[in-house]
Amino acid sequence: MNGTRFLSRLTGLIRDKRRLASDPAPVLLCIAGFDGKLKFLNPAWEKILGCPARELLDRPLRELMQQHGEAAVALVERLLAEDSFDPMEFGLRCQDGTFKWFLWHRGFDSEHQAIFIAGYDITEQKSREVASLQRSYERPKRVGAAV
C-alpha cells in the first residue's frame, strides 16, 4: 500500500481510536502534536521498541531518535514541516539500547493540530545496505594491501 493511500486510511481510522489501538499491523502509527510530542500510539510501538506506550506519551519524538542534539531537532522539524510530504528515514532507540530504522510517512490535520505518522520498519534493508557498503570499501583495501 503506498504512503498516501495508507495515510488516507489512517486518517479515517483515527476517528475511532479503539479500532486503531487494536490494529495488529507491525507499523508504528501515532498522532503527534505540532509541538512534536506523541499523543497516541498503536500497540506496535510497544511490540517493536519494547517500551510501554504509556511511557512514551507526551514525550518529544526527538528523545527516542538515534540521532542526537541538533541533528535530531532538524529531523523532527522536517517531519513536522507541513510543506514537505516526502517520506523520510531515521532510527529510533529500543528499550534494550539497540536502534531500528523506519521509513516515515505523515499527514496533517490542521483542524485538530495533529500530525498522523506511520513508520515502516526498514532495519533489515538498512543492515543489508551497510553490509554492502562495507564489502565495497573492504575490497579495494584488500587489493591495495596485496600490492
Side-chain angles (χ1 to χ4, degrees), residues 11 14 25 41 44 56 79 84 102 117 126 134 141 144:
T11 302
I14 221 67
L41 306 171
L56 302 175
L79 182 70
S84 173
F102 296 90
I117 303 172
K126 285 299 230 184
Q134 285 176 328
K141 190 176 178 181

Side-chain angles (χ1 to χ4, degrees), residues 15-16 18 22 24 34-35 54 63 66 70 104 140 147:
R15 306 291 181 225
D16 180 359
R18 288 183 309 242
S22 65
F34 285 171
D35 60 359
R54 67 184 171 278
E63 288 182 7
Q66 183 174 6
E70 291 181 26
W104 299 96
V147 174

